[in-house]
Amino acid sequence: MSQSLGVVESRLQELGLVLPLPPKPIGNYLPAVEVGNMLYVSGTLGTIRDENDNDIMPIKGKLGAELTIEEGYQSAKYMALNHLALMKKVIGDLDRIERIVKMVGYVNSAPGFTEAHLVLNGASDLYVQVFGEERGKHARAALFQNELGLDAPIEAEMTVLLKS
């Protein structure tokens, strides 16, 4: 483990994952709010930063139409990394996370698409890989949407318990 990195960031490094710069809010809201020992993370998309420091969405569209479950899964992984980047920005140290409590995910779904749970596994699997079963496995809702802003395939909000 690197001495300059905490346990969580060292685990990300072991997994070959790099935290992106936190995405910029696209409205008049905070990306996350800490209240007591709870952290509430706003709805976040699967964006990445381009060479001009703009948030871009590398995967766009509806699951079950333009996108496969695998593409949605990858978008959910980008989203989860964005969640972690936002959490780090707000709380300073990802080692302050006691556990991921709940994720509410919204999947941009074509009529007849019924596999939102498999898409959201992209984020859930990443949290379990990073934090382990006890701290990373969480309650979850997978909601089907007929549209999401910016033609995003997925968006999710989080509730996180912080160490006292």
Side-chain angles (χ1 to χ4, degrees), residues 29 37 39 81 91 98:
Y29 63 90
N37 65 340
L39 183 67
L81 288 170
I91 65 173
E98 180 72 28

Side-chain angles (χ1 to χ4, degrees), residues 76-118:
K77 283 180 70 173
Y78 289 141
M79 178 194 68
L81 288 170
N82 282 335
H83 278 149
L84 292 172
L86 290 170
M87 288 187 249
K88 180 178 178 181
K89 181 178 181 180
V90 173
I91 65 173
D93 181 358
L94 294 175
D95 288 342
R96 287 188 58 207
I97 296 172
E98 180 72 28
R99 83 167 299 150
I100 305 297
V101 176
K102 185 174 184 181
M103 178 172 61
V104 178
Y106 308 90
V107 177
N108 188 356
S109 304
F113 182 76
T114 61
E115 306 294 340
H117 60 288
L118 297 177

Side-chain angles (χ1 to χ4, degrees), residues 29-87:
Y29 63 90
L30 294 171
V33 175
E34 183 177 352
V35 178
N37 65 340
M38 299 301 292
L39 183 67
Y40 301 92
V41 184
S42 295
T44 303
L45 307 174
T47 59
I48 61 172
R49 289 277 178 97
D50 70 9
E51 63 279 353
N52 297 317
D53 200 34
N54 296 309
D55 291 324
I56 61 165
M57 203 157 333
I59 302 169
K60 288 184 174 188
K62 284 189 183 300
L63 277 294
E66 303 93 4
L67 299 178
T68 65
I69 291 170
E70 293 76 19
E71 289 167 315
Y73 185 97
Q74 181 60 47
S75 184
K77 283 180 70 173
Y78 289 141
M79 178 194 68
L81 288 170
N82 282 335
H83 278 149
L84 292 172
L86 290 170
M87 288 187 249

